[in-house]
Structure formats: structure tokens, C-alpha cells
Amino acid sequence: MKKIVSSLFVVLLCLGLFGCNSETAQKETNVPKTEVAQFPLTVKDSTDKEIEIKEEPKKIISLIPSNTEILFSIGKGKNVIGVTDFDNYPKEVKGIDKVGGNNADMTYNIEKIISLQPDLVLAHESSLGISADGLEQLKQAGITVFVVKNAESINDVYDTIKEIGQITGKLDESKKVVSDMKEKLEKISDKTANIGTNPLVWLEISGPPEIYTAGNGTFLNEMISIIHAKNVAEKEKGWVMYSEESAIKANPDVILTTYGDYVPDLEKVVLERKNWTSVNAIKNKRVFDINADTTSRPGPRLVEGVEEIAKAVYPEVFK
């Protein structure tokens, strides 16, 4: 189980989720007010440093999967020449050069990044603790590095998409992606607003003996709110360790897990827990393993995550 928790740490760090807080007020973005991308362009990144982008980037390296997914969603995928070892979507990333991240210290291959001669490196605030020195080397080599801020809510994800669209010359496309996301989420929310029940959901990020769940300030908690359900750990903050006794006592109607990639037949494993036989979700066989990527990566596929959760919680509505 320690292996699972360790894997959880790696996943959360690489997805850029530490410190997420859906209750935080939406912050101002650095996206310029202009409707059309104009180069040269000077903007501030998450480090509060002014970054000059002289012309539309043609060769981009992404240092986090969420940035990669955003780039492909706004039509900039053909310009992505390097991604991390963790990138797995869309399928085109399989053929793109890997620049590290999946090593013992989770650092990037700076020499390879420099050799690829990118116009722009898209880094992420969540990994600054392990990549700051490497990013400085890139800057000293004359490479433009933009550090994307850590999204604290779905609204912040919208801002991130538009920001990346602005600095890559795809502002209109990025606005269309955001508009589509808002429309789809509104439809899902409206569809669940008048059901009359608010199912209690237990979110499990890793299982016994060290159980972790998603509390207030995570995308998962925000997703549960969007579909008008109730998160067992909604009063907790962030990613927290939770006692098995407390989870059982809460008696959730639905159990959602996110670590099926690490535990074979996870739904069956959870259903067969001896201490959980009195829990409604177990008695009614309502245990579902959901996609960890679409429910945690701060990008366009969060909508897919919300829809997957809605189908699990309200199967009678989302047939």
C-alpha cells in the first residue's frame, strides 16, 4: 500500500494539483485584453516575472501533461516537440520526444530540452520545487520559459487555457474551448439540479491501511458539487488521510476510487472489504473506479471527469 501512496504523490505532483482550492476567489489572469494575439508579447507568468515572447512559438516543449492537453485542444499540438514521461494523452504524444520527469528525482533532461531548440518551454508552478534550477539553465541558454500558474478551481483552468492560447497565438481557439467546457458543465449541472436527492459520495484516492481522500479545495470535490451530490470529506481541506472507521461511519451511497491503475480489479476488492458490509454503497454494489487523469488534470478533459462521475452517481439519469 505504501507503493500506492507513493504513486499517488507522484501523480498529484506531476498533475500540478498541490494547493488546489476551489473556494478561493477567482484570481486575475495575465491574459491581455486584446482579442487577437499580437507579437512581440510581454506577459507575467506565475513567478511574477515579465516574459517576452517575440513571435508565435513554432516549437514548444510541455513539462506537465495538463499543459500538453491544453495545447492540443487549442490546435497547437503539431507544434509540440517535447513532453514528459507522464504524458499519455492525446495518442499523438506517444510519438513525441520525452524529456524526463519519471526518474528518481523527478527532474527533466535539461540537455535534451536544449538540444531540441524550442521556441517556448511551458513549465508549471507545481513543480518549481524540483525544477527551478533546471529552468534557470534553460533561460541562461536563451530559451523562453513560461511558468503556468497552479489552477485553484475550474474557473482558474479556464484562465489557464486562455493564457496558453494567448501566448501561443491561439486565443480565439482557446476561448472556444472554454466556452464549450462551460456549456457542457452547465448542462450536466442542470440535469442533476432537480433530482431531489443528494447522494453521499466517498472519494478514495488510496485504500487501507493509509486511506487518502479528496476534500475541499480539489477538483474532485468541486465536481461533486457541480452534480449536486455531497462529498463525505467536504469539510476537510485538500488531499487528506482519513480513518477507515470514519469512512465507514459516514455510510456513503456511492464509492468512487481513482487508483485502479495500481490495483487490479479494484472495484471487486472494495466490494469484498469485510469491515464495510454495512455501508450502503457496498450493499448496493455502487463502487466505481474513475479516470484519475480526467478528474485531476487541470485541462479541458475535466468535463469528461464530471460526466463520468455524474453517470456513476446518477445512473438512472445518465443512461
Side-chain angles (χ1 to χ4, degrees):
M1 190 54 62
K2 288 184 178 179
K3 181 179 179 181
I4 295 173
V5 175
S6 176
S7 300
L8 165 68
F9 173 80
V10 170
V11 171
L12 293 179
L13 180 58
C14 293
L15 299 183
L17 293 176
F18 288 139
C20 288
N21 184 0
S22 61
E23 298 298 319
T24 302
Q26 183 176 351
K27 298 179 180 178
E28 294 182 1
T29 72
N30 295 315
V31 179
K33 301 296 184 182
T34 54
E35 293 297 317
V36 180
Q38 298 178 349
F39 298 95
L41 180 68
T42 300
V43 292
K44 286 186 178 181
D45 68 0
S46 70
T47 66
D48 203 35
K49 293 181 179 179
E50 289 192 344
I51 310 297
E52 182 183 13
I53 301 175
K54 296 180 180 180
E55 58 185 5
E56 181 178 335
K58 303 298 183 184
K59 298 169 65 179
I60 304 172
I61 291 180
S62 169
L63 298 184
I64 195 169
S66 56
N67 285 349
T68 305
E69 294 189 16
I70 291 172
L71 287 166
F72 272 88
S73 74
I74 63 177
K76 206 67 178 177
K78 65 181 182 296
N79 300 109
V80 178
I81 62 169
V83 296
T84 73
D85 297 329
F86 293 101
D87 280 80
N88 58 5
Y89 186 90
K91 61 182 180 181
E92 287 83 357
V93 301
K94 293 181 180 179
I96 298 176
D97 280 329
K98 302 300 184 292
V99 296
N102 192 22
N103 44 30
D105 54 5
M106 296 176 63
T107 55
Y108 306 112
N109 188 331
I110 301 302
E111 291 75 16
K112 183 169 186 176
I113 293 175
I114 293 174
S115 71
L116 292 173
Q117 299 181 318
D119 302 321
L120 175 67
V121 170
L122 276 182
H124 197 271
E125 183 180 7
S126 65
S127 63
L128 282 179
I130 58 173
S131 64
D133 291 342
L135 297 182
E136 186 59 35
Q137 291 181 48
L138 296 178
K139 294 175 184 179
Q140 291 178 1
I143 296 173
T144 300
V145 176
F146 188 92
V147 182
V148 176
K149 68 180 179 181
N150 198 32
E152 300 176 334
S153 67
I154 292 179
N155 278 336
D156 282 348
V157 174
Y158 297 152
D159 289 343
T160 296
I161 293 171
K162 289 186 287 187
E163 182 176 61
I164 291 177
Q166 178 69 26
I167 65 177
T168 60
K170 293 288 185 179
L171 181 57
D172 287 342
E173 291 83 351
S174 68
K175 288 184 175 181
K176 179 62 166 57
V177 170
V178 169
S179 177
D180 288 346
M181 289 178 67
K182 289 181 177 180
E183 182 179 352
K184 291 175 181 177
L185 287 179
E186 184 177 2
K187 287 182 178 179
I188 295 173
S189 183
D190 289 346
K191 199 169 183 178
T192 59
N194 300 312
I195 294 178
T197 61
N198 300 104
L200 186 60
V201 180
W202 166 246
L203 300 166
E204 190 169 286
I205 313 304
S206 69
E210 297 178 339
I211 299 179
Y212 276 83
T213 188
N216 187 14
T218 64
F219 290 123
L220 278 166
N221 184 72
E222 189 172 1
M223 290 172 169
I224 296 299
S225 297
I226 287 173
I227 66 168
H228 303 95
K230 184 178 177 64
N231 177 14
V232 168
E234 65 179 1
K235 293 183 180 180
E236 303 293 336
K237 185 174 178 61
W239 308 93
V240 294
M241 185 179 289
Y242 213 79
S243 72
E244 185 171 8
E245 292 77 15
S246 296
I248 294 171
K249 185 177 180 180
N251 193 23
D253 302 302
V254 181
I255 294 175
L256 301 179
T257 60
T258 64
Y259 56 102
D261 288 342
Y262 306 107
V263 179
D265 300 317
L266 179 56
E267 293 175 359
K268 181 180 179 181
V269 170
V270 174
L271 285 169
E272 293 179 348
R273 287 178 181 169
K274 295 180 179 180
N275 297 336
W276 294 60
T277 55
S278 63
V279 175
N280 286 336
I282 302 298
K283 290 190 292 186
N284 298 318
K285 293 181 170 36
R286 301 196 63 190
V287 178
F288 308 95
D289 187 65
I290 58 176
N291 189 321
D293 294 343
T294 60
T295 53
S296 59
R297 287 182 181 174
R301 289 201 297 158
L302 285 175
V303 174
E304 295 179 25
V306 174
E307 187 172 26
E308 183 180 5
I309 290 174
K311 289 179 178 179
V313 176
Y314 303 105
E316 69 282 4
V317 176
F318 294 87
K319 296 181 179 179

